[in-house]
Amino acid sequence: MMTQPTGRTVLVLGATPEAQRAAQALQGLGYGVIPLQPDDLLGFEGQVGGFRAQVRAEGQPQSLAADAVMVAIGNDRSGGATDLPRSPRALTASQLRRQLEARPITGAALPYRQARYLLLLEPDGQTQKEPAVEMLYLARDLRARWRCEVTVLYHELLVDTMPLERLTRELRQGGVVFTRTGALSVALDDQGVTVTVAEGPLRGDYVVMAEAVRPHADAPALAALLQVRLGVDGYFQDVNIRQVRAGPSNRKGVYFAGRCHLDGDLATALADAEQVAASVDALLRAGPQPEPTRAEVDRSRCIRCLTCVRTCPHAAVEIVADETSTAAQVFALACWGCGACAGNCPVQAITLLGQSAPAWMQTAEVSR
Amino acid sequence: MSEKGRLVVLGCERSAGEARRELEAQGHQLPAEVEWVSLPCGGAVDVLHLLQALESGAERVLVLACYTGACQSLEGERWAEKRVQAARGWLREIGLPEERLAFRAIAPNMAADLAAWLEEA
């Protein structure tokens, strides 16, 4: 069945599996999709339903119109623990994965078979879902394909998502040993590797380290350009934990999808991308509507101090010149009606439409 | 009406408002001396509102906003708390008891706490 085109366009930032899944989902819902690498975005302005992006396309600057934006730039890899000596017996998860997937099987892969593996699940001491799930899939494949002895060493291993819960149960039943450790030390020699934990030394042929993930290197610059927030952990921050819809940023019409805003494995990120596409659809389908409560500036009172522009958490206020004056303007579609601008305005030039107030809460005359 | 005098509550609709609705759903009535003013966010509290409330005869003013990190508009609770602190400073300066203005963080599921605060405030 053909989906009726909505005539609306979404800018999808990133070249990740979740960006691709989001683009597919949006196209399936009838949206035009503009895929873009984050470093090709040069400028960004406007509001939901009418964003304008200055982009670099084939080396040339261009201006594009979009109704909404989805950030799906993923995360970055740190490449595993750096304090371990370089040795053929110390592998990162991706090095081992390459050996496991090598076709045809070469002589170089033979020593890795039927060996004893010690898997360090959390080299940085805390569970990160994506590398943890990847390591557990490695443990499964080492057992199933190469009949290896596998011990998973972990600090906390929070099995609070379906893939982790299912995998750990299956692996335990399949003979993989899980050992909880506190501080540990790794010693490598020609014959193998010794990981010493509180209970004593564990001997193996290879030690494999999960590769920790970290926020994408482009995240800070992109957040500044889009005027959206990063959390203290450096990942994009959803506007509020109580939001029913997935992925909204503090700027209406800008959404986050996948591993740039959540700690999850790839399957979780892909499911999230579909949910965020549904969020975008819910916003755009009937056309963006102004909130019942929203701020409005009395232009004759405004002293252009920029306080509201600075303090608006939703990038909804700008200084705008018309025929008669230059003053702050709140964009109705972008405003969430929180009143931060009104509370901050030093001359009480901003009122909240649709907000009832008792008689004593009158706007006082303020000298200018 | 209790002897404590009128209490004006300036409450964020998303946290305090939810807690109040929960309280009422449980069959509790707000005490008669409480005047509840609903705000879209703690960030909308102006210092002027606090002083106007006192000027209008309120004995005490209680500002209720979300916990840090729970504000839909990111920092509304921070603005609210700063303004209460600023207004308390002014009360101190003119010799009025600063305890007449108070700030508390609240979550939507804190109906019982809300009831206690309204009784004791």
Side-chain angles (χ1 to χ4, degrees):
Chain A
M1 191 180 76
M2 281 288 288
T3 309
Q4 194 69 25
T6 60
R8 296 188 176 275
T9 306
V10 181
L11 187 64
V12 177
L13 289 163
T16 56
E18 53 262 51
Q20 198 174 8
R21 179 65 63 88
Q24 285 168 349
L26 287 166
Q27 284 167 338
L29 291 164
Y31 292 88
V33 170
I34 305 172
L36 192 73
Q37 292 282 20
D39 53 1
D40 285 335
L41 183 67
L42 307 174
F44 188 74
E45 59 187 13
Q47 54 182 314
V48 58
F51 288 123
R52 289 214 71 81
Q54 283 71 51
V55 305
R56 185 168 39 223
E58 293 166 3
Q60 298 297 316
Q62 270 187 29
S63 181
L64 296 174
D67 295 283
V69 177
M70 194 185 289
V71 180
I73 61 173
N75 52 23
D76 276 348
R77 288 293 166 120
S78 71
T82 51
D83 54 345
L84 288 184
R86 291 174 71 87
S87 158
R89 298 204 170 270
L91 304 169
T92 64
S94 24
Q95 284 169 335
L96 180 58
R97 177 54 70 187
R98 276 197 293 278
Q99 291 297 337
L100 265 163
E101 304 302 336
R103 295 286 184 280
I105 295 170
T106 63
L110 289 178
Y112 294 115
R113 301 175 147 237
Q114 297 183 11
R116 293 167 300 165
Y117 283 84
L118 301 170
L119 270 48
L120 305 186
L121 202 61
E122 301 140 333
D124 294 337
Q126 62 180 44
T127 307
Q128 289 186 319
K129 300 289 185 308
E130 186 185 5
V133 168
E134 285 172 3
M135 286 289 271
L136 296 181
Y137 278 123
L138 273 177
R140 183 194 65 181
D141 293 345
L142 285 170
R143 288 289 293 170
R145 297 192 201 171
W146 288 354
R147 295 181 181 77
C148 297
E149 281 180 33
V150 182
T151 304
V152 175
L153 303 171
Y154 67 95
H155 290 286
E156 53 180 22
L157 186 56
L158 297 173
V159 284
D160 56 352
T161 58
M162 274 310 287
L164 274 174
E165 204 275 334
R166 178 174 52 78
L167 267 171
T168 48
R169 194 174 58 241
E170 282 176 14
L171 290 174
R172 284 194 162 103
Q173 288 166 355
V176 171
V177 177
F178 283 76
T179 300
R180 188 173 192 135
T181 68
L184 54 78
S185 64
V186 180
L188 297 151
D189 56 57
D190 291 342
Q191 271 68 52
V193 54
T194 305
V195 175
T196 307
V197 298
E199 289 77 17
L202 297 164
R203 188 74 182 155
D205 298 308
Y206 297 97
V207 62
V208 187
M209 290 156 295
E211 293 160 301
V213 290
R214 57 169 186 250
H216 196 287
D218 288 340
L222 190 58
L225 203 57
L226 297 174
Q227 291 180 267
V228 294
R229 300 292 175 104
L230 296 178
V232 287
D233 56 3
Y235 289 91
F236 287 97
Q237 185 186 17
D238 287 20
V239 74
N240 188 278
I241 52 171
R242 289 197 301 277
Q243 284 285 324
V244 179
R245 293 279 176 190
S249 75
N250 52 291
R251 186 171 189 175
K252 208 175 264 190
V254 180
Y255 287 79
F256 309 132
R259 293 164 293 179
C260 70
H261 80 131
L262 58 80
D263 173 25
D265 61 291
L266 184 57
T268 308
L270 294 177
D272 180 63
E274 289 183 3
Q275 288 172 4
V276 178
S279 300
V280 173
D281 183 47
L283 180 73
L284 294 182
R285 178 64 57 175
Q289 301 294 323
E291 299 290 335
T293 299
R294 61 183 187 277
E296 189 178 64
V297 180
D298 177 347
R299 293 179 70 86
S300 66
R301 280 175 167 254
C302 174
I303 56 169
R304 301 178 294 281
C305 65
L306 297 173
T307 302
C308 50
V309 179
R310 270 189 303 108
T311 53
C312 173
H314 306 298
V317 193
E318 284 180 24
I319 302 293
V320 174
D322 66 11
E323 300 82 32
T324 55
S325 63
T326 301
Q329 181 177 332
V330 178
F331 294 107
L333 292 178
C335 178
W336 293 56
C338 70
C341 54
N344 273 301
C345 178
V347 292
Q348 279 73 42
I350 306 179
T351 47
L352 284 175
L353 300 176
Q355 177 69 23
S356 60
W360 53 262
M361 199 189 266
Q362 305 283 334
T363 301
E365 279 304 317
V366 177
S367 58
R368 295 166 59 177
Chain B
M1 188 175 284
S2 86
E3 293 171 2
K4 289 178 181 172
R6 184 167 139 251
L7 166 66
V8 169
V9 178
L10 299 173
C12 163
E13 182 58 17
R14 295 175 193 280
S15 50
E18 290 290 334
R20 178 195 166 175
R21 280 187 283 280
E22 175 63 24
L23 196 61
E24 287 170 343
Q26 292 170 5
H28 293 272
Q29 295 285 320
L30 292 186
E33 70 270 21
V34 171
E35 181 184 356
W36 188 283
V37 180
S38 181
L39 296 172
C41 171
V45 175
D46 192 325
V47 173
L48 203 57
H49 296 154
L50 304 174
L51 301 181
Q52 284 171 328
L54 295 178
E55 191 185 39
S56 72
E59 182 59 32
R60 295 149 298 138
V61 181
L62 173 62
V63 175
L64 299 174
C66 302
Y67 277 90
T68 302
C71 173
Q72 172 160 298
S73 293
L74 305 175
E75 295 173 341
E77 86 295 340
R78 191 168 67 88
W79 294 121
E81 187 166 12
K82 278 178 79 165
R83 300 212 179 99
V84 170
Q85 293 305 335
R88 282 170 68 111
W90 292 357
L91 291 195
R92 241 187 345 261
E93 232 170 84
I94 60 174
L96 288 176
E98 59 185 291
E99 297 74 29
R100 291 179 67 183
L101 298 178
F103 171 86
R104 281 187 188 272
I106 188 169
N109 62 354
M110 287 171 64
D113 300 77
L114 176 61
W117 297 341
L118 295 181
E119 287 299 324
E120 79 186 26

mmCIF file of all heavy atoms in Angstrom, chain A residues 233-262:
data_model
loop_
_atom_site.group_PDB
_atom_site.id
_atom_site.type_symbol
_atom_site.label_atom_id
_atom_site.label_comp_id
_atom_site.label_asym_id
_atom_site.label_seq_id
_atom_site.Cartn_x
_atom_site.Cartn_y
_atom_site.Cartn_z
ATOM 1 N N ASP A 233 26.643 13.687 31.380
ATOM 2 C CA ASP A 233 27.460 12.598 30.857
ATOM 3 C C ASP A 233 27.930 12.851 29.424
ATOM 4 O O ASP A 233 28.675 12.060 28.860
ATOM 5 C CB ASP A 233 26.677 11.276 30.918
ATOM 6 C CG ASP A 233 25.338 11.352 30.175
ATOM 7 O OD1 ASP A 233 25.053 12.406 29.570
ATOM 8 O OD2 ASP A 233 24.584 10.367 30.216
ATOM 9 N N GLY A 234 27.493 13.960 28.833
ATOM 10 C CA GLY A 234 27.951 14.304 27.487
ATOM 11 C C GLY A 234 27.059 13.777 26.376
ATOM 12 O O GLY A 234 27.284 14.086 25.208
ATOM 13 N N TYR A 235 26.044 12.995 26.733
ATOM 14 C CA TYR A 235 25.094 12.517 25.724
ATOM 15 C C TYR A 235 23.949 13.537 25.593
ATOM 16 O O TYR A 235 23.701 14.310 26.519
ATOM 17 C CB TYR A 235 24.527 11.144 26.108
ATOM 18 C CG TYR A 235 25.540 10.029 25.980
ATOM 19 C CD1 TYR A 235 26.344 9.654 27.050
ATOM 20 C CD2 TYR A 235 25.716 9.366 24.766
ATOM 21 C CE1 TYR A 235 27.297 8.655 26.922
ATOM 22 C CE2 TYR A 235 26.657 8.365 24.629
ATOM 23 C CZ TYR A 235 27.452 8.008 25.707
ATOM 24 O OH TYR A 235 28.391 7.027 25.576
ATOM 25 N N PHE A 236 23.260 13.487 24.445
ATOM 26 C CA PHE A 236 22.113 14.369 24.261
ATOM 27 C C PHE A 236 21.057 14.040 25.319
ATOM 28 O O PHE A 236 20.825 12.871 25.627
ATOM 29 C CB PHE A 236 21.525 14.219 22.855
ATOM 30 C CG PHE A 236 22.392 14.835 21.801
ATOM 31 C CD1 PHE A 236 23.281 14.065 21.076
ATOM 32 C CD2 PHE A 236 22.343 16.202 21.550
ATOM 33 C CE1 PHE A 236 24.097 14.645 20.108
ATOM 34 C CE2 PHE A 236 23.159 16.782 20.585
ATOM 35 C CZ PHE A 236 24.039 15.997 19.864
ATOM 36 N N GLN A 237 20.448 15.102 25.839
ATOM 37 C CA GLN A 237 19.549 14.934 26.982
ATOM 38 C C GLN A 237 18.100 15.133 26.565
ATOM 39 O O GLN A 237 17.722 16.216 26.123
ATOM 40 C CB GLN A 237 19.908 15.965 28.058
ATOM 41 C CG GLN A 237 19.131 15.806 29.334
ATOM 42 C CD GLN A 237 19.410 16.932 30.309
ATOM 43 O OE1 GLN A 237 19.931 17.971 29.939
ATOM 44 N NE2 GLN A 237 19.047 16.731 31.549
ATOM 45 N N ASP A 238 17.296 14.096 26.718
ATOM 46 C CA ASP A 238 15.861 14.231 26.472
ATOM 47 C C ASP A 238 15.315 15.276 27.433
ATOM 48 O O ASP A 238 15.830 15.445 28.531
ATOM 49 C CB ASP A 238 15.135 12.909 26.734
ATOM 50 C CG ASP A 238 15.416 11.889 25.657
ATOM 51 O OD1 ASP A 238 16.427 12.056 24.949
ATOM 52 O OD2 ASP A 238 14.648 10.934 25.532
ATOM 53 N N VAL A 239 14.233 15.912 27.008
ATOM 54 C CA VAL A 239 13.800 17.064 27.778
ATOM 55 C C VAL A 239 13.287 16.671 29.156
ATOM 56 O O VAL A 239 13.455 17.391 30.114
ATOM 57 C CB VAL A 239 12.781 17.903 26.998
ATOM 58 C CG1 VAL A 239 11.431 17.242 26.952
ATOM 59 C CG2 VAL A 239 12.676 19.273 27.584
ATOM 60 N N ASN A 240 12.660 15.541 29.284
ATOM 61 C CA ASN A 240 12.132 15.214 30.601
ATOM 62 C C ASN A 240 11.805 13.744 30.713
ATOM 63 O O ASN A 240 11.296 13.138 29.785
ATOM 64 C CB ASN A 240 10.860 16.021 30.877
ATOM 65 C CG ASN A 240 10.400 15.847 32.297
ATOM 66 O OD1 ASN A 240 9.750 14.865 32.616
ATOM 67 N ND2 ASN A 240 10.763 16.764 33.152
ATOM 68 N N ILE A 241 12.078 13.188 31.882
ATOM 69 C CA ILE A 241 11.864 11.768 32.068
ATOM 70 C C ILE A 241 10.394 11.385 32.036
ATOM 71 O O ILE A 241 10.062 10.237 31.852
ATOM 72 C CB ILE A 241 12.476 11.302 33.404
ATOM 73 C CG1 ILE A 241 11.977 12.190 34.533
ATOM 74 C CG2 ILE A 241 13.974 11.275 33.339
ATOM 75 C CD1 ILE A 241 12.359 11.685 35.902
ATOM 76 N N ARG A 242 9.492 12.360 32.230
ATOM 77 C CA ARG A 242 8.071 12.006 32.268
ATOM 78 C C ARG A 242 7.403 12.120 30.901
ATOM 79 O O ARG A 242 6.217 11.879 30.774
ATOM 80 C CB ARG A 242 7.339 12.895 33.267
ATOM 81 C CG ARG A 242 7.688 12.579 34.706
ATOM 82 C CD ARG A 242 6.671 13.178 35.648
ATOM 83 N NE ARG A 242 6.583 14.604 35.521
ATOM 84 C CZ ARG A 242 7.395 15.455 36.115
ATOM 85 N NH1 ARG A 242 8.366 15.021 36.866
ATOM 86 N NH2 ARG A 242 7.225 16.744 35.961
ATOM 87 N N GLN A 243 8.166 12.527 29.882
ATOM 88 C CA GLN A 243 7.572 12.623 28.551
ATOM 89 C C GLN A 243 7.085 11.252 28.104
ATOM 90 O O GLN A 243 7.793 10.264 28.238
ATOM 91 C CB GLN A 243 8.613 13.133 27.551
ATOM 92 C CG GLN A 243 8.882 14.608 27.644
ATOM 93 C CD GLN A 243 7.767 15.432 27.042
ATOM 94 O OE1 GLN A 243 7.183 15.035 26.049
ATOM 95 N NE2 GLN A 243 7.471 16.555 27.651
ATOM 96 N N VAL A 244 5.891 11.220 27.563
ATOM 97 C CA VAL A 244 5.359 9.955 27.070
ATOM 98 C C VAL A 244 6.043 9.586 25.758
ATOM 99 O O VAL A 244 6.397 8.445 25.505
ATOM 100 C CB VAL A 244 3.830 10.072 26.871
ATOM 101 C CG1 VAL A 244 3.277 8.769 26.325
ATOM 102 C CG2 VAL A 244 3.168 10.436 28.186
ATOM 103 N N ARG A 245 6.252 10.582 24.911
ATOM 104 C CA ARG A 245 6.848 10.341 23.604
ATOM 105 C C ARG A 245 8.365 10.211 23.702
ATOM 106 O O ARG A 245 8.992 10.870 24.522
ATOM 107 C CB ARG A 245 6.503 11.494 22.661
ATOM 108 C CG ARG A 245 5.032 11.562 22.323
ATOM 109 C CD ARG A 245 4.705 10.567 21.241
ATOM 110 N NE ARG A 245 3.285 10.537 20.950
ATOM 111 C CZ ARG A 245 2.751 9.606 20.187
ATOM 112 N NH1 ARG A 245 3.472 8.646 19.677
ATOM 113 N NH2 ARG A 245 1.466 9.631 19.947
ATOM 114 N N ALA A 246 8.930 9.384 22.817
ATOM 115 C CA ALA A 246 10.375 9.150 22.861
ATOM 116 C C ALA A 246 11.134 10.279 22.182
ATOM 117 O O ALA A 246 10.706 10.783 21.155
ATOM 118 C CB ALA A 246 10.691 7.830 22.159
ATOM 119 N N GLY A 247 12.257 10.647 22.780
ATOM 120 C CA GLY A 247 13.281 11.429 22.111
ATOM 121 C C GLY A 247 13.152 12.921 21.961
ATOM 122 O O GLY A 247 13.915 13.514 21.201
ATOM 123 N N PRO A 248 12.213 13.617 22.649
ATOM 124 C CA PRO A 248 12.139 15.053 22.407
ATOM 125 C C PRO A 248 13.294 15.796 23.061
ATOM 126 O O PRO A 248 13.709 15.467 24.165
ATOM 127 C CB PRO A 248 10.815 15.455 23.059
ATOM 128 C CG PRO A 248 10.612 14.465 24.143
ATOM 129 C CD PRO A 248 11.227 13.185 23.656
ATOM 130 N N SER A 249 13.811 16.798 22.379
ATOM 131 C CA SER A 249 14.838 17.652 22.969
ATOM 132 C C SER A 249 14.142 18.832 23.621
ATOM 133 O O SER A 249 12.904 18.919 23.626
ATOM 134 C CB SER A 249 15.778 18.159 21.886
ATOM 135 O OG SER A 249 15.136 19.168 21.127
ATOM 136 N N ASN A 250 14.932 19.768 24.155
ATOM 137 C CA ASN A 250 14.341 20.968 24.736
ATOM 138 C C ASN A 250 13.855 21.936 23.659
ATOM 139 O O ASN A 250 13.200 22.919 23.970
ATOM 140 C CB ASN A 250 15.353 21.679 25.633
ATOM 141 C CG ASN A 250 16.659 21.931 24.925
ATOM 142 O OD1 ASN A 250 17.396 20.987 24.642
ATOM 143 N ND2 ASN A 250 16.964 23.171 24.595
ATOM 144 N N ARG A 251 14.183 21.673 22.389
ATOM 145 C CA ARG A 251 13.730 22.542 21.298
ATOM 146 C C ARG A 251 12.664 21.803 20.505
ATOM 147 O O ARG A 251 12.935 20.713 19.966
ATOM 148 C CB ARG A 251 14.909 22.906 20.399
ATOM 149 C CG ARG A 251 14.559 23.910 19.333
ATOM 150 C CD ARG A 251 15.790 24.407 18.612
ATOM 151 N NE ARG A 251 15.456 25.513 17.753
ATOM 152 C CZ ARG A 251 16.343 26.226 17.066
ATOM 153 N NH1 ARG A 251 17.627 25.933 17.159
ATOM 154 N NH2 ARG A 251 15.964 27.227 16.301
ATOM 155 N N LYS A 252 11.484 22.390 20.428
ATOM 156 C CA LYS A 252 10.380 21.681 19.793
ATOM 157 C C LYS A 252 10.730 21.376 18.337
ATOM 158 O O LYS A 252 11.183 22.244 17.597
ATOM 159 C CB LYS A 252 9.103 22.516 19.872
ATOM 160 C CG LYS A 252 7.864 21.659 19.876
ATOM 161 C CD LYS A 252 6.627 22.482 20.080
ATOM 162 C CE LYS A 252 6.212 22.495 21.534
ATOM 163 N NZ LYS A 252 4.892 23.090 21.725
ATOM 164 N N GLY A 253 10.536 20.146 17.924
ATOM 165 C CA GLY A 253 10.817 19.752 16.540
ATOM 166 C C GLY A 253 12.189 19.141 16.354
ATOM 167 O O GLY A 253 12.497 18.647 15.282
ATOM 168 N N VAL A 254 13.034 19.182 17.399
ATOM 169 C CA VAL A 254 14.342 18.533 17.320
ATOM 170 C C VAL A 254 14.305 17.306 18.239
ATOM 171 O O VAL A 254 13.949 17.428 19.418
ATOM 172 C CB VAL A 254 15.487 19.475 17.743
ATOM 173 C CG1 VAL A 254 16.831 18.756 17.646
ATOM 174 C CG2 VAL A 254 15.502 20.722 16.859
ATOM 175 N N TYR A 255 14.646 16.157 17.688
ATOM 176 C CA TYR A 255 14.545 14.892 18.432
ATOM 177 C C TYR A 255 15.883 14.172 18.454
ATOM 178 O O TYR A 255 16.719 14.368 17.573
ATOM 179 C CB TYR A 255 13.503 13.973 17.772
ATOM 180 C CG TYR A 255 12.089 14.424 18.010
ATOM 181 C CD1 TYR A 255 11.540 15.457 17.268
ATOM 182 C CD2 TYR A 255 11.317 13.836 18.998
ATOM 183 C CE1 TYR A 255 10.245 15.890 17.497
ATOM 184 C CE2 TYR A 255 10.022 14.257 19.231
ATOM 185 C CZ TYR A 255 9.495 15.290 18.485
ATOM 186 O OH TYR A 255 8.213 15.710 18.734
ATOM 187 N N PHE A 256 16.058 13.326 19.455
ATOM 188 C CA PHE A 256 17.250 12.477 19.550
ATOM 189 C C PHE A 256 16.820 11.025 19.372
ATOM 190 O O PHE A 256 15.800 10.604 19.926
ATOM 191 C CB PHE A 256 17.927 12.610 20.907
ATOM 192 C CG PHE A 256 18.188 14.033 21.321
ATOM 193 C CD1 PHE A 256 17.847 14.468 22.587
ATOM 194 C CD2 PHE A 256 18.765 14.935 20.440
ATOM 195 C CE1 PHE A 256 18.077 15.780 22.981
ATOM 196 C CE2 PHE A 256 18.996 16.246 20.818
ATOM 197 C CZ PHE A 256 18.647 16.671 22.094
ATOM 198 N N ALA A 257 17.635 10.255 18.644
ATOM 199 C CA ALA A 257 17.307 8.844 18.443
ATOM 200 C C ALA A 257 18.552 7.992 18.590
ATOM 201 O O ALA A 257 19.641 8.376 18.148
ATOM 202 C CB ALA A 257 16.698 8.640 17.052
ATOM 203 N N GLY A 258 18.408 6.848 19.230
ATOM 204 C CA GLY A 258 19.479 5.857 19.276
ATOM 205 C C GLY A 258 20.554 6.161 20.304
ATOM 206 O O GLY A 258 20.306 6.781 21.338
ATOM 207 N N ARG A 259 21.769 5.748 19.977
ATOM 208 C CA ARG A 259 22.849 5.741 20.955
ATOM 209 C C ARG A 259 23.460 7.102 21.235
ATOM 210 O O ARG A 259 24.354 7.201 22.050
ATOM 211 C CB ARG A 259 23.921 4.743 20.508
ATOM 212 C CG ARG A 259 23.431 3.303 20.551
ATOM 213 C CD ARG A 259 24.320 2.388 19.770
ATOM 214 N NE ARG A 259 24.244 2.682 18.347
ATOM 215 C CZ ARG A 259 24.940 2.049 17.408
ATOM 216 N NH1 ARG A 259 25.772 1.093 17.755
ATOM 217 N NH2 ARG A 259 24.823 2.372 16.134
ATOM 218 N N CYS A 260 22.978 8.154 20.558
ATOM 219 C CA CYS A 260 23.477 9.494 20.917
ATOM 220 C C CYS A 260 22.777 9.999 22.176
ATOM 221 O O CYS A 260 23.217 10.963 22.786
ATOM 222 C CB CYS A 260 23.293 10.475 19.768
ATOM 223 S SG CYS A 260 21.587 10.933 19.432
ATOM 224 N N HIS A 261 21.682 9.345 22.608
ATOM 225 C CA HIS A 261 20.978 9.815 23.813
ATOM 226 C C HIS A 261 20.655 8.696 24.797
ATOM 227 O O HIS A 261 20.154 8.968 25.879
ATOM 228 C CB HIS A 261 19.712 10.598 23.437
ATOM 229 C CG HIS A 261 18.530 9.758 23.078
ATOM 230 N ND1 HIS A 261 17.287 9.955 23.616
ATOM 231 C CD2 HIS A 261 18.410 8.705 22.241
ATOM 232 C CE1 HIS A 261 16.442 9.072 23.105
ATOM 233 N NE2 HIS A 261 17.091 8.304 22.267
ATOM 234 N N LEU A 262 20.905 7.433 24.430
ATOM 235 C CA LEU A 262 20.603 6.380 25.404
ATOM 236 C C LEU A 262 21.737 5.366 25.467
ATOM 237 O O LEU A 262 22.494 5.196 24.509
ATOM 238 C CB LEU A 262 19.272 5.702 25.090
ATOM 239 C CG LEU A 262 19.056 5.036 23.731
ATOM 240 C CD1 LEU A 262 19.686 3.662 23.676
ATOM 241 C CD2 LEU A 262 17.557 4.913 23.481
#
